[in-house]
Amino acid sequence: MQYQRSSQLFAEAEKVIPGGVNSPVRAFKGVGGTPIFVKSAKGAYLYDEDGNKLIDYINSWGPMILGHAHQPVIDAITERAKLGTSFGMPTELETQIAQLAVSMVPNIDKIRFVNSGTEACMSAIRLARGFTKRDKIIKFAGCYHGHSDSFLIQAGSGASTFGTPNSPGVTQGTAKDTLLANYNDLECVRVLFEANKNEIAALIVEPVAGNMGCIPPLPGFLDGLRKICTDNNALLIFDEVMTGFRLAKGGVQELYNIKADIVCFGKVIGGGLPVGAFAAREEIMNHLAPLGPVYQAGTLSGNPLAMAAGLSMLQSINNDAELFQRLADKTAYLEVGIAKVLKQNGIQFTINRVGSMISVHFDKNPVFDFQTAKNGDNETFKKFFHGLLNEGVYIAPSAYETWFITDALSYEDLDFTINAVDKVSKTF
């Protein structure tokens, strides 16, 4: 495939946008080469500025669970735009989508909408600190909760040490209140709580990790986190920006029957428009202004276009009893097919999958945390990425990102993808 137009557009973008992109992962730094500039998308396909058609396994990093340009969502946005695009005042739409979301998700009474997953997680942490009157939080290495200062922290020298900033602009003062644990390691979490008694407000976790590839929780991990938080009067926060309304109607809480204290949402809940949200039971949410002392605000929060898109998306999901089974079946089919051809071609690999999230790791050993994810052969991944791209299949341009499956994919698309993997892996 040729990407002359994309290359030209990227060169122009670099002159006026840092790195030529508005989000770093788009820059192809992890795989080399030039980003693809999209012109349009429909269903399971992207159409780039050079006229290439690509099967899409990113789907705007998760929101397009029903496919690009899903007609009910497009119609909802179009009709709403005719009435005005922003008011900075309440609309009935906000209540309607809140009522639907609360009805779909276990263990939440109230929800507040914001403009991004980053904003949702940032607000959830502030709410947890205000509710518990404690300062420290625990996060897990390899889990990404947006670019708020509290989350851009790397591990210290030991399990019970403070984290240190991993981005300039994050202060040591902020970093000292963020403690780092290893994903799927309950003992590490216990050590942190023991070393910081009565100081930890909350633990935040991607209950199914998606930012080091797809990494499922090991049996007992989420239950263990729930018990540890309960025993220490700390709040358990599920970052379901990726998994919410994707792995089940009620997200991971429903899938694994685990109750979180605060849940963060994004991606699917906005129907493809910029939306985030955080939700909890009433006694926690009532600590937010204007009812309580924890301040959180946003001029464009509850934007009518975003609320219309999100409401249409959630209605489509809620009314489709077979959706999640179809998604799981398609993803399982893809997993079996890819595993078969990689094995036939002598490639060492591990595939992780939960529902409609899946990732291929080029290492024969199990991948269950950030360290094991880093053991993968990134040079092989680069060849894999560019090989698939040349065959017309677009996956995440990073070995540390999950693939997101859309219901718009046909089994013919899946077979095409499996055949492309077979062809590409023969060249390794």
Side-chain angles (χ1 to χ4, degrees):
M1 290 188 178
Q2 299 297 317
Y3 298 103
Q4 184 176 359
R5 177 64 177 154
S6 282
S7 296
Q8 292 172 345
L9 290 172
F10 184 55
E12 293 174 14
E14 286 184 296
K15 297 175 183 177
V16 289
I17 301 172
V21 294
N22 283 308
S23 188
V25 74
R26 302 175 190 174
F28 279 32
K29 289 291 186 181
V31 294
T34 300
I36 306 302
F37 277 63
V38 178
K39 187 171 186 178
S40 66
K42 180 65 177 176
Y45 311 117
L46 301 170
Y47 301 89
D48 70 15
E49 289 285 355
D50 287 277
N52 300 309
K53 175 183 175 182
L54 303 169
I55 299 176
D56 185 16
Y57 286 97
I58 301 306
N59 289 288
S60 191
W61 303 94
M64 305 307 180
I65 191 170
L66 302 178
H68 290 283
H70 182 60
Q71 198 59 52
V73 173
I74 298 300
D75 291 343
I77 295 170
T78 302
E79 291 305 309
R80 190 67 217 187
K82 295 175 183 177
L83 304 177
T85 59
S86 183
F87 311 118
M89 298 169 65
T91 65
E92 185 181 9
L93 273 173
E94 295 167 75
T95 303
Q96 291 173 337
I97 188 173
Q99 289 171 334
L100 181 54
V102 167
S103 74
M104 293 172 71
V105 179
N107 202 41
I108 65 171
D109 299 318
K110 292 183 177 180
I111 186 169
R112 177 163 284 182
F113 287 90
V114 292
N115 298 295
S116 68
T118 289
E119 196 177 335
C121 292
M122 176 186 73
S123 302
I125 289 295
R126 183 183 302 160
L127 177 57
R129 285 171 166 156
F131 182 77
T132 62
K133 297 180 173 60
R134 297 175 178 179
D135 293 337
K136 295 179 181 178
I137 64 168
I138 294 175
K139 73 173 292 287
F140 292 89
C143 286
Y144 179 72
H145 308 292
H147 62 271
S148 177
D149 287 3
S150 296
F151 303 130
L152 294 181
I153 307 297
Q154 63 187 4
S157 59
S160 62
T161 64
F162 296 129
T164 56
N166 66 353
S167 173
V170 178
T171 68
Q172 291 287 348
T174 297
K176 73 179 177 61
D177 288 328
T178 300
L179 307 172
L180 267 291
N182 297 320
Y183 193 76
N184 276 323
D185 185 347
L186 286 175
E187 184 56 32
C188 182
V189 175
R190 293 190 185 98
V191 168
L192 288 172
F193 270 100
E194 184 64 26
N196 299 271
K197 285 188 175 180
N198 301 317
E199 294 184 81
I200 296 172
L203 179 152
I204 186 168
V205 63
E206 290 180 81
V208 174
N211 284 286
M212 39 188 163
C214 175
I215 299 188
L218 293 175
F221 178 61
L222 297 180
D223 291 281
L225 294 182
R226 176 66 277 172
K227 185 177 189 309
I228 292 170
C229 287
T230 300
D231 291 346
N232 289 276
N233 296 312
L235 300 185
L236 176 61
I237 303 174
F238 275 4
D239 175 355
E240 293 218 49
V241 169
M242 286 188 179
T243 60
F245 308 103
R246 168 165 282 280
L247 297 185
K249 286 184 182 180
V252 172
Q253 288 192 105
E254 176 187 331
L255 189 66
Y256 291 111
N257 192 28
I258 305 289
K259 291 184 177 180
D261 295 303
I262 304 177
V263 189
C264 302
F265 300 104
K267 302 190 184 298
V268 172
I269 201 173
L273 270 66
V275 179
F278 59 107
R281 60 185 183 272
E282 188 171 19
E283 64 174 307
I284 296 175
M285 293 301 284
N286 285 353
H287 271 65
L288 284 172
L291 293 179
V294 178
Y295 193 74
Q296 182 277 325
T299 300
L300 292 178
S301 295
N303 174 271
L305 298 187
M307 295 294 93
L311 178 60
S312 177
M313 178 67 78
L314 293 192
Q315 287 172 334
S316 294
I317 292 171
N318 196 45
N319 294 333
D320 189 342
E322 306 300 324
L323 172 64
F324 294 101
Q325 188 59 56
R326 289 199 308 273
L327 286 165
D329 289 345
K330 289 178 181 180
T331 314
Y333 184 89
L334 185 66
E335 177 188 10
V336 170
I338 291 176
K340 180 180 179 180
V341 297
L342 288 179
K343 185 176 181 180
Q344 287 175 345
N345 294 328
I347 308 299
Q348 293 187 342
F349 70 95
T350 293
I351 298 178
N352 284 350
R353 177 180 67 85
V354 179
S356 59
M357 295 168 61
I358 185 172
S359 58
V360 179
H361 304 263
F362 291 102
D363 186 82
K364 65 180 179 180
N365 299 307
V367 177
F368 54 84
D369 62 9
F370 188 45
Q371 186 56 53
T372 52
K374 290 195 295 184
N375 291 338
D377 184 345
N378 281 338
E379 291 305 311
T380 296
F381 180 82
K382 292 177 185 178
K383 296 175 185 176
F384 185 65
F385 170 81
H386 284 290
L388 289 181
L389 186 59
N390 286 331
E391 293 297 320
V393 177
Y394 189 75
I395 64 171
S398 167
Y400 302 109
E401 299 286 352
T402 187
W403 306 8
F404 294 101
I405 306 304
T406 172
D407 192 44
L409 284 162
S410 67
Y411 279 89
E412 289 77 14
D413 295 326
L414 300 176
D415 285 335
F416 182 95
T417 303
I418 293 165
N419 289 332
V421 170
D422 184 27
K423 183 176 180 179
V424 169
S425 62
K426 283 182 167 67
T427 67
F428 292 169

